[in-house]
C-alpha cells in the first residue's frame, strides 16, 4: 500500500510515452502494447493494494501516502474568525471506497484498452498513438480523482477527466458532429464545476481544511440541519451541482448522449468505469457531510429519480444502438443518485460497481455489432445477427439481463438493494423507480430483439464477400463484406465482462437471501465517522424528507432482523423480478412475435412517440433559450463594445486630436505670431537706432554739443 501512488503514475507514463514518442515513431501494435501494458501493471498493483487492505481490521482499513507538500501554509481566516492555514499536501488515501474504485477503473479500463487495440486497427498509425495517449491520460486522472486524500487533489483529477473527455469525444475532430459534442461536454462540465469550486471555497471557509477525513469528522460534530438550510446544506448543494455536471443529471445531462460521437471504447470508458461515476463517488466520499444535510439529500433523491425516469422514457424509442445505451447510462446514474439521496450510500456504490461490468459489456458489444455491420448504428438496419455474431449475442444477452435485474446476475442484487432502500424511505420514489426498472427491461430487450432477432434488414452481400470478411475481420473499414464476428481481441474482453456481470453481484447477497452483504459491510467505514463516538447515524431527521441520517451505516439487515422485514424485502425482490420479466416479455411480444406492433403503437401514440424521439425537445429548448440567449447577449455586448466603449475611446481620441490641432494652430498663429511681431518691431527699431550710429566723430561731437545746450537750457529755465 505504500506504493499506491504508482497506480496512477503508470497510465500517466503510458500517456507520456505515446504522446511524445508514439505519435512520431511507434507502430499501432507498439502504441497499443504500451497503453495496455501500463494499465495492466496498474491493475496488478491495485489488486495487491486491495488484498493488503482486506488483511487489516475493518476499523483500520485506511492508508495515506504523502508524496509532497503541494501548497505551503497560507494564512487565512475561517468562518469563526479564527486564523487558519491553507496547507495542502499531494497525498493519496486508500480506503474501502477508493480501493473498490481503483479496481473498477483499472480492471474495466484494461479490458477496454485491449478491446481498443483491435477496434482502432484501421485508424492511421499516428492517430492510434494519439488515441491511446488520451485513453491512458483519462485513466491517470480518474485514478488521481479517486485516490486523492483531499478536495484539491480530487479536483485535479476531476478537471483532468473533463479535459480528456473533450479530447476523446472529439477524437474524430474533422467531423463537425464530433467536434461539437466534445465542446458540448466540456461546456456542460464547466457549468457543474462552477458549483464544485464554490463548494470548495465554502468548505475551507467553514472547516479550515480540505482534507476529506478532517472534514467528515468536523461535519459529524455539527448538528444535523433538519428543517433548515444552513452552511452544511449550502456546501452539499454546491457539491451536488458539480456532481450533476460530471454524472449527467437533470439539467446537465444533455452532453452524455452526444458523447457517442467518440469511438466506442471511449463510450465504454466514459459511461462505465470513469467519468460519469465521478459525481457518484464524490457524494459517497462526502457521505457524512451529506448525511448532515437532509434537505439536500432530498433534492439528490428527487433529481436522481426524475433523471432515471426521464432518460428511460427517451431510451424506449431510440434507434441508434449506442444512444439507447447512452440514455440507459443516464438512467442508471439516476438510480445511483437516488440511492445516495435516500441515504443508501453503500447500495449506490454497489450499483456503481456492478453497472461498470454490464454497461462496459453492452457498449463494447455494441461496438462489436457496429464493427460487424461496417459502421451501421441504426438498429432498424440490423436484425437476425445472432447467427453471425454468436459470442457478441451471448455476451450482450447476459449484459441486458443483468441491467434488467434478472437473478442471479449482478444487476439484480444492486438494483434490488436500491429499490428496497427507496421503499423504506419514500413510497413515491419507490414507485417511480419500479416504473423505471420496467422500462429498463423493456428497452434493453428491445435492443436485443431489434439487433439479433427477427429478419435481417441490412444491406445484402455476396457469399464470396462474406467468406473474405471471415478471413479478414478488418476489411469492413474499406468495403463492407457482410456481418461477421469480431476478432479475439474484441470478443475476449466481452467474455470476461460477461463473467463479471454474472458473478459481481454475489459479493452483495442480502441477509434476506441468507447472505451477509459483504460489499456493504466492507464499504461501511468509508461512509461513517467513529471518532469520539460520532457517527452520521447518531441522529435522525424530523423534517419528513426523503433521507434520514440514521440510515447510515448502510448495511444490509443483520441476522437478527425481524421476520416481517425479511418478508417485505423478499416480497419486493419477487415483485421487481416480475416487473423486469414483464418488461422483457412485452418487448418480445412487440418486436419479435409481432414486429408490426411497434409501428402500430408508434402510429397510435404519434405525439408521445415524437416527443420521446425528439428527447422532450430539451436540446431545442436549450438552443432557443440558453444558447440563443447567450449568442444574443454576446452580440449585444459586442455592439455595446463597438459602439459605446469603442465609441467613447474613439471619441476621446478624436477630441484629443482636435484639441492638439487647435493647440498647434494657437501655437503657430497666436503665440508664434506675438513672438514674431515683437521680434519684427524690435528689429525695425534696432534698424533705425542703428542708423544713428554713423561712426563719424564730428556727428557725435555735434550731438554732444546739442545735449550740453539742452541741459543748460533746461537748467536755466527751471532755476
Amino acid at each position: 500500500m505504500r506504493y499506491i501512488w504508482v497506480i496512477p503514475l503508470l497510465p500517466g507514463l503510458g500517456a507520456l510515452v505515446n504522446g511524445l514518442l508514439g505519435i512520431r515513431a511507434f507502430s499501432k501494435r507498439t502504441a497499443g502494447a504500451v497503453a495496455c501494458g501500463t494499465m495492466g501493471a496498474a491493475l496488478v498493483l491495485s489488486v495487491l493494494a486491495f488484498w493488503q487492505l482486506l488483511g487489516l481490521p475493518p476499523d483500520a482499513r485506511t492508508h495515506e501516502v504523502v508524496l509532497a507538500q503541494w501548497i505551503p501554509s497560507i494564512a487565512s481566516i475561517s468562518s469563526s474568525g479564527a486564523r487558519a492555514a491553507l496547507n495542502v499536501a499531494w497525498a493519496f488515501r486508500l480506503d474501502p471506497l477508493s480501493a473498490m474504485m481503483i479496481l473498477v477503473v483499472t480492471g474495466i479500463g484494461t479490458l477496454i484498452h485491449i478491446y481498443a487495440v483491435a477496434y482502432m486497427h484501421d485508424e492511421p498509425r499516428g492517430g492510434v498513438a494519439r488515441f491511446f495517449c488520451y485513453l491512458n491520460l483519462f485513466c491517470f486522472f480518474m485514478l488521481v480523482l479517486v485516490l486523492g486524500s483531499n478536495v484539491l487533489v480530487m479536483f485535479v483529477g476531476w478537471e483532468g477527466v473533463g479535459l480528456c473527455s473533450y479530447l476523446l469525444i472529439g477524437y474524430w475532430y474533422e467531423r463537425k458532429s464530433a467536434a461539437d459534442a466534445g465542446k458540448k461536454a466540456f461546456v456542460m462540465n464547466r457549468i457543474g464545476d462552477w458549483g464544485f469550486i464554490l463548494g470548495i471555497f465554502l468548505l475551507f471557509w467553514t472547516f479550515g481544511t480540505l482534507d476529506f477525513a478532517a472534514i467528515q469528522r468536523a461535519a459529524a460534530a455539527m448538528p444535523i440541519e433538519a428543517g433548515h438550510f444552513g452552511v452544511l446544506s449550502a456546501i452539499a448543494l454546491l457539491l451536488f451541482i458539480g456532481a450533476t455536471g460530471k454524472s449527467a443529471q437533470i439539467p446537465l445531462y444533455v452532453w452524455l448522449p452526444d458523447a457517442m460521437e467518440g469511438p466506442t471504447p471511449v463510450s465504454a470508458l466514459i459511461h462505465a468505469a470513469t467519468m460519469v461515476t465521478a459525481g457518484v463517488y464524490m457524494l459517497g466520499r462526502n457521505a457524512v457531510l451529506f448525511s448532515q444535510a437532509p434537505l439536500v439529500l432530498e433534492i439528490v433523491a428527487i433529481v436522481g429519480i426524475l433523471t432515471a425516469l426521464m432518460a428511460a422514457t427517451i431510451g424506449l424509442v431510440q434507434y441508434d444502438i449506442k444512444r439507447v445505451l447512452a440514455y440507459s447510462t443516464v438512467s442508471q446514474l439516476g438510480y445511483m443518485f437516488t440511492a445516495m439521496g435516500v441515504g443508501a450510500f453503500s447500495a449506490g456504490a454497489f450499483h456503481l460497481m456492478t453497472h461498470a461490468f454490464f454497461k462496459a459489456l453492452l457498449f463494447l458489444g455494441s461496438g462489436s455489432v457496429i464493427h460487424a455491420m461496417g459502421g451501421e448504428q441504426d438498429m432498424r438496419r440490423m436484425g437476425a445477427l445472432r447467427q453471425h455474431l454468436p459470442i457478441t449475442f451471448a455476451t450482450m444477452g447476459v449484459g441486458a439481463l443483468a441491467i434488467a435485474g434478472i437473478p442471479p446476475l449482478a444487476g439484480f442484487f444492486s438494483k434490488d438493494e436500491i429499490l428496497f432502500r427507496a421503499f423504506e424511505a419514500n413510497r413515491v420514489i419507490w414507485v417511480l423507480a419500479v416504473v423505471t426498472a420496467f422500462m429498463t427491461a423493456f428497452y434493453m430487450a428491445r435492443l436485443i430483439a431489434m439487433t439479433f432477432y427477427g429478419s435481417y434488414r441490412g444491406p445484402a452481400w455476396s457469399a464470396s464477400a462474406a467468406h473474405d470478411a471471415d478471413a479478414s475481420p478488418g476489411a469492413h473499414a474499406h468495403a463492407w463484406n457482410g456481418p461477421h464476428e469480431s476478432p479475439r481481441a474484441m470478443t475476449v474482453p466481452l467474455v470476461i465482462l460477461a463473467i463479471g456481470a454474472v458473478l459481481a453481484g454475489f459479493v452483495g447477497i442480502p441477509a434476506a437471501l441468507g447472505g451477509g452483504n459483504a460489499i456493504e459491510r466492507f464499504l461501511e467505514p468509508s461512509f461513517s465517522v467513529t471518532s469520539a463516538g460520532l457517527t452520521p447515524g447518531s441522529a435522525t431527521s424530523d423534517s419528513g424528507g426523503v433521507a434520514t441520517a440514521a440510515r447510515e451505516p448502510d448495511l444490509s439487515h443483520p441476522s437478527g432482523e425481524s421476520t416481517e422485514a425479511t418478508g417485505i424485502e423478499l416480497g419486493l425482490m419477487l415483485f421487481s423480478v416480475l416487473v423486469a420479466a414483464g418488461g422483457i416479455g412485452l418487448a418480445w411480444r412487440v418486436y419479435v412475435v409481432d414486429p408490426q406492433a411497434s409501428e402500430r403503437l408508434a402510429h397510435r401514440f404519434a405525439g408521445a412517440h415524437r416527443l420521446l424521439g425528439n428527447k422532450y425537445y430539451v436540446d431545442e429548448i436549450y438552443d432557443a433559450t440558453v444558447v440563443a440567449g447567450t449568442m444574443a447577449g454576446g452580440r449585444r455586448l459586442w455592439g455595446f463594445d463597438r459602439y459605446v466603449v469603442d465609441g467613447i475611446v474613439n471619441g476621446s481620441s478624436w477630441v484629443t486630436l482636435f484639441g492638439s490641432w487647435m493647440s498647434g494652430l494657437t501655437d503657430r498663429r497666436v503665440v508664434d505670431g506675438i513672438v514674431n511681431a515683437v521680434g519684427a518691431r524690435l528689429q525695425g527699431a534696432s534698424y533705425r537706432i542703428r542708423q544713428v550710429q554713423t561712426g563719424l566723430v564730428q556727428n557725435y561731437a555735434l550731438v554732444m554739443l546739442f545735449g550740453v545746450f539742452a541741459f543748460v537750457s533746461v537748467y536755466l529755465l527751471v532755476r
Side-chain angles (χ1 to χ4, degrees):
M1 289 190 292
R2 292 180 301 169
Y3 301 105
I4 57 174
W5 57 274
V6 180
I7 296 173
L9 179 65
L10 286 169
L13 289 175
L16 187 67
V17 171
N18 267 327
L20 295 180
L21 302 177
I23 295 176
R24 296 172 176 83
F26 286 177
S27 66
K28 298 177 187 179
R29 184 183 297 273
T30 303
V34 169
C36 295
T38 53
M39 281 301 299
L43 172 60
V44 171
L45 289 180
S46 298
V47 172
L48 291 176
F50 180 82
W51 186 259
Q52 291 177 0
L53 193 72
L54 279 179
L56 298 175
D59 57 350
R61 286 175 179 165
T62 180
H63 182 76
E64 183 168 323
V65 176
V66 178
L67 298 181
Q69 195 64 27
W70 179 18
I71 300 178
S73 295
I74 300 175
S76 181
I77 299 176
S78 67
S79 60
S80 62
R83 293 185 64 83
L86 177 61
N87 192 348
V88 181
W90 189 266
F92 294 136
R93 179 177 291 131
L94 186 71
D95 69 350
L97 181 60
S98 60
M100 184 196 77
M101 290 299 297
I102 62 174
L103 286 179
V104 170
V105 173
T106 58
I108 304 297
T110 299
L111 293 174
I112 292 172
H113 275 68
I114 295 171
Y115 178 96
V117 172
Y119 191 87
M120 303 298 289
H121 177 72
D122 294 316
E123 291 294 309
R125 181 194 58 78
V128 170
R130 175 169 62 90
F131 175 81
F132 280 113
C133 170
Y134 295 163
L135 215 60
N136 268 174
L137 192 63
F138 203 141
C139 293
F140 163 76
F141 280 120
M142 188 64 192
L143 289 168
V144 169
L145 188 155
V146 299
L147 284 172
S149 69
N150 58 69
V151 182
L152 281 189
V153 174
M154 170 188 269
F155 190 70
V156 171
W158 187 276
E159 291 299 292
V161 295
L163 169 64
C164 292
S165 69
Y166 165 76
L167 297 173
L168 286 168
I169 294 169
Y171 170 76
W172 287 311
Y173 57 87
E174 294 179 347
R175 194 169 65 195
K176 186 178 184 302
S177 58
D180 289 345
K183 289 184 286 187
K184 187 175 185 179
F186 193 82
V187 170
M188 282 292 179
N189 276 271
R190 298 293 73 73
I191 296 172
D193 293 349
W194 163 82
F196 194 3
I197 292 171
L198 292 181
I200 293 174
F201 291 157
L202 195 54
L203 273 172
F204 181 73
W205 174 256
T206 304
F207 301 110
T209 181
L210 294 176
D211 182 79
F212 283 120
I215 289 172
Q216 304 314 303
R217 286 194 297 269
M222 299 174 69
I224 294 177
E225 295 179 349
H228 72 283
F229 198 90
V231 64
L232 295 181
S233 298
I235 294 171
L237 183 60
L238 289 170
L239 295 180
F240 175 60
I241 291 173
T244 59
K246 198 67 71 182
S247 293
Q249 298 296 287
I250 292 174
L252 301 179
Y253 72 93
V254 292
W255 69 268
L256 191 56
D258 288 355
M260 299 302 96
E261 292 293 338
T264 298
V266 172
S267 303
L269 193 62
I270 290 177
H271 286 246
T274 56
M275 182 172 169
V276 296
T277 62
V280 180
Y281 171 80
M282 190 256 280
L283 263 64
R285 177 55 69 199
N286 294 282
V288 177
L289 176 64
F290 277 86
S291 295
Q292 302 297 95
L295 294 179
V296 177
L297 278 183
E298 185 173 350
I299 294 172
V300 172
I302 292 172
V303 170
I305 196 60
L306 291 180
T307 301
L309 183 64
M310 181 179 184
T313 58
I314 296 174
L316 293 174
V317 298
Q318 297 300 307
Y319 293 106
D320 185 310
I321 188 171
K322 288 177 65 177
R323 283 192 176 269
V324 174
L325 297 176
Y327 282 104
S328 169
T329 298
V330 176
S331 182
Q332 295 304 304
L333 288 168
Y335 254 105
M336 297 175 206
F337 275 91
T338 301
M340 298 291 179
V342 299
F345 295 101
S346 292
F350 182 27
H351 194 57
L352 184 156
M353 185 268 288
T354 60
H355 176 264
F357 282 99
F358 52 71
K359 186 50 62 70
L361 169 60
L362 289 168
F363 265 111
L364 296 186
S366 72
S368 180
V369 172
I370 295 168
H371 178 277
M373 294 297 294
E376 181 60 63
Q377 296 184 198
D378 192 332
M379 295 186 296
R380 291 171 295 188
R381 294 180 56 79
M382 298 179 185
L385 294 182
R386 66 184 186 279
Q387 57 185 332
H388 304 287
L389 290 76
I391 298 176
T392 302
F393 164 65
T395 53
M396 284 193 73
V398 170
L401 292 174
I403 196 174
I406 299 300
L409 305 180
F412 163 74
F413 295 103
S414 58
K415 184 179 290 188
D416 174 75
E417 188 67 23
I418 294 174
L419 289 172
F420 180 59
R421 298 298 184 183
F423 181 84
E424 287 186 321
N426 188 289
R427 301 298 166 81
V428 174
I429 289 180
W430 174 77
V431 170
L432 295 178
V434 169
V435 173
T436 302
F438 174 82
M439 290 189 289
T440 300
F442 178 86
Y443 65 65
M444 289 310 306
R446 171 180 177 266
L447 182 149
I448 297 296
M450 292 186 69
T451 304
F452 296 103
Y453 286 91
S455 58
Y456 178 75
R457 300 177 297 275
W461 73 96
S462 65
S464 60
H467 180 272
D468 294 339
D470 293 333
S472 179
H476 74 281
H478 308 288
W480 186 66
N481 297 309
H484 52 274
E485 187 60 272
S486 300
R488 284 189 178 181
M490 294 172 65
T491 56
V492 169
L494 294 180
V495 172
I496 296 174
L497 288 170
I499 294 172
V502 172
L503 301 179
F506 287 100
V507 299
I509 300 176
L513 293 178
N517 216 325
I519 188 169
E520 296 197 14
R521 293 187 179 278
F522 172 72
L523 292 173
E524 174 196 347
S526 297
F527 303 133
S528 62
V529 175
T530 57
S531 177
L534 292 170
T535 68
S538 61
T540 61
S541 169
D542 297 326
S543 62
V546 172
T548 61
R551 199 165 289 115
E552 281 299 313
D554 177 35
L555 298 173
S556 249
H557 301 294
S559 57
E561 69 177 351
S562 68
T563 305
E564 181 183 0
T566 301
I568 292 175
E569 186 170 4
L570 289 173
L572 292 174
M573 283 183 192
L574 178 61
F575 181 70
S576 67
V577 172
L578 292 176
V579 166
I584 294 172
L586 180 61
W588 182 267
R589 172 72 176 80
V590 172
Y591 291 96
V592 178
V593 177
D594 183 12
Q596 302 302 318
S598 62
E599 297 296 331
R600 293 195 300 269
L601 289 172
H603 180 73
R604 182 177 179 182
F605 302 102
H609 190 273
R610 185 165 52 251
L611 179 66
L612 297 179
N614 288 282
K615 302 160 288 187
Y616 293 102
Y617 298 97
V618 173
D619 284 302
E620 288 77 5
I621 293 172
Y622 273 140
D623 288 339
T625 55
V626 178
V627 176
T630 301
M631 296 299 292
R635 285 191 293 269
R636 291 189 180 94
L637 289 174
W638 174 80
F640 181 82
D641 179 71
R642 181 177 182 182
Y643 296 110
V644 179
V645 178
D646 288 353
I648 293 173
V649 173
N650 294 334
S652 300
S653 68
W654 281 109
V655 170
T656 303
L657 288 173
F658 179 75
S660 64
W661 179 81
M662 287 298 297
S663 177
L665 182 64
T666 302
D667 183 66
R668 290 193 305 273
R669 302 296 185 185
V670 179
V671 178
D672 288 353
I674 294 174
V675 172
N676 293 336
V678 171
R681 296 296 181 273
L682 291 176
Q683 185 179 17
S686 66
Y687 175 75
R688 290 181 176 84
I689 295 173
R690 189 174 71 244
Q691 287 180 333
V692 178
Q693 305 297 321
T694 62
L696 298 175
V697 176
Q698 58 269 29
N699 290 345
Y700 298 153
L702 181 60
V703 172
M704 290 175 64
L705 180 61
F706 277 115
V708 171
F709 175 76
F711 177 77
V712 172
S713 298
V714 172
Y715 175 75
L716 292 175
L717 288 174
V718 299
R719 183 179 175 189

